[in-house]
Amino acid sequence: MTIGGNITSFAGLPVRRFEPGPAGRRDARRAGRDVAWRIGVDYGDGEDRFAATLDALLDAVGGATVRALVIGSWGEPQSDGPPLPLLIAARDRLPNLRALFVGEMTYEECEISWINQGEYAPLLGAFPALEVLHIRGADGLRLAPVRHRRLRELSVESGGLPAAFVRGLCDSSFPALEDLELWLGVQEYGADATVENFAPILSGAELPALRRLALRNAEIADQLAEALAAAPVVARLRSLDLSMGALSDAGAEALLLGQPLTHLRSLDLSHHFMSEDVAARFEQELPGVAVDVSDEQEAEEDGFRYVSVTE
């Protein structure tokens, strides 16, 4: 499975693409503050072209008006890391930036597992007021331990999330984080984290505000479900999401036999490999929870179970 069209909204704002040139600048000035600006360049363009596009946007609208920024292609996402140094250098021009999406590309622009990412701790340090960070792609993705007091929402979409990033995340401090979404992917594309790597997240000790936990697109969905059955963090969640992964009856049974889930508002297990009877038990035993057990899959003849997004 691949990622389809570009997003139309981000952080509660409509996404508007900025086009360099006189007409684009005039259009940008008329758009006002209540938009999430999307910028990107064509494949093969270099960092200079991206830098010029960012500069043109900030000149046209005034950097202080930019609350949300969506970064599309930066030219060669398969080989060069994202333009994080350019964003850091522009921090004084972006005093009100609250939401950032880096790597918002369709599969026509770059397959998700070929998007080359980088180190995000310096960026978080440069934007202490950032509240929402979305990242697509995980090749080379890193996070040195960092403390950030304002981040409420962190999402990483990948076909293979590296254990090094998970360890950095677990060693960081995000006291305001309410929503954590990680697409784990498969080992073939770099997903080398084990369930043990997620233990600090599942304990919830360093995530006191967490209310939504989404461990999606996971090859190890059964092992995660078994761990979540007794994980302390679950008791204070409002939403639990194990969708897009390889969840089978084994993991599902562990969840059903584990700690109560009746306090949840939603439980998303869509794209799964559960039998019909086991899937139905979630709806029967959790009548007050919005349960999604749609998109039932069938394992291949050799028993192989696939996740939604890989390459």
Side-chain angles (χ1 to χ4, degrees):
M1 177 178 175
T2 50
I3 303 296
N6 294 119
I7 58 173
T8 58
S9 65
F10 175 58
L13 298 170
V15 172
R16 190 168 191 136
R17 184 182 180 96
F18 174 72
E19 298 290 351
R25 288 194 292 270
R26 287 194 298 271
D27 180 61
R29 293 189 188 102
R30 290 193 295 265
R33 302 171 61 96
D34 296 328
V35 297
W37 287 107
R38 185 185 192 278
I39 60 172
V41 297
D42 293 334
Y43 183 84
D45 287 337
E47 185 177 280
D48 290 347
R49 180 65 178 272
F50 183 90
T53 302
L54 175 61
D55 191 59
L57 169 67
L58 300 184
D59 282 345
V61 303
T65 70
V66 178
R67 292 189 289 153
L69 189 59
V70 178
I71 306 297
S73 173
W74 47 85
E76 295 188 8
Q78 293 179 329
S79 58
D80 297 329
L84 303 183
L86 293 175
L87 293 174
I88 293 170
R91 60 185 172 184
D92 291 339
R93 300 178 69 189
L94 290 163
N96 297 312
L97 185 67
R98 297 294 182 268
L100 177 65
F101 192 150
V102 181
E104 202 282 302
M105 290 174 254
T106 68
Y107 63 86
E108 289 95 347
E109 294 169 292
C110 188
E111 298 280 6
I112 191 170
S113 288
W114 297 104
I115 300 174
N116 194 316
Q117 283 289 347
E119 169 62 65
Y120 274 79
L123 180 126
L124 288 168
F127 292 94
L130 196 68
E131 297 177 357
V132 178
L133 176 60
H134 284 210
I135 302 167
R136 182 172 293 166
D139 186 16
L141 180 64
R142 302 180 303 281
L143 181 67
V146 64
R147 179 173 177 80
H148 197 285
R149 297 179 181 274
R150 298 285 296 275
L151 197 69
R152 294 185 296 100
E153 183 178 321
L154 174 61
S155 173
V156 181
E157 303 175 0
S158 85
L161 190 66
F165 177 84
V166 177
R167 288 192 293 268
L169 174 62
C170 290
D171 289 339
S172 297
S173 177
F174 296 106
L177 194 68
E178 299 175 1
D179 189 325
L180 176 61
E181 178 172 326
L182 303 175
W183 296 19
L184 277 61
V186 299
Q187 190 171 12
E188 181 181 357
Y189 286 99
D192 55 350
T194 65
V195 173
E196 288 72 23
N197 292 129
F198 292 91
I201 294 173
L202 301 184
S203 78
E206 294 298 323
L207 298 170
L210 195 67
R211 296 298 179 264
R212 176 177 180 263
L213 177 61
L215 300 175
R216 309 180 74 193
N217 200 49
E219 190 174 39
I220 59 170
D222 278 350
Q223 297 95 311
L224 289 169
E226 292 167 5
L228 284 162
V233 73
V234 172
R236 54 180 153 83
L237 294 180
R238 296 172 184 162
S239 177
L240 179 61
D241 187 338
L242 291 174
S243 65
M244 299 171 60
L247 185 70
S248 73
D249 282 354
E253 290 279 5
L255 272 182
L256 287 164
L257 295 173
Q259 63 185 304
L261 301 175
T262 51
H263 65 287
L264 293 175
R265 294 180 182 175
S266 65
L267 175 64
D268 191 345
L269 305 176
S270 58
H271 185 281
H272 62 84
F273 294 82
M274 294 182 286
S275 64
E276 186 175 339
D277 289 345
V278 170
R281 285 178 57 193
F282 282 99
E283 296 177 316
Q284 295 163 2
E285 297 183 22
L286 302 172
V289 181
V291 175
D292 188 345
V293 289
S294 62
D295 199 15
E296 179 183 351
Q297 306 292 315
E298 290 188 10
E300 297 184 359
E301 291 184 3
D302 60 359
F304 177 74
R305 289 176 282 123
Y306 47 87
V307 303
S308 294
V309 176
T310 53
E311 186 175 14

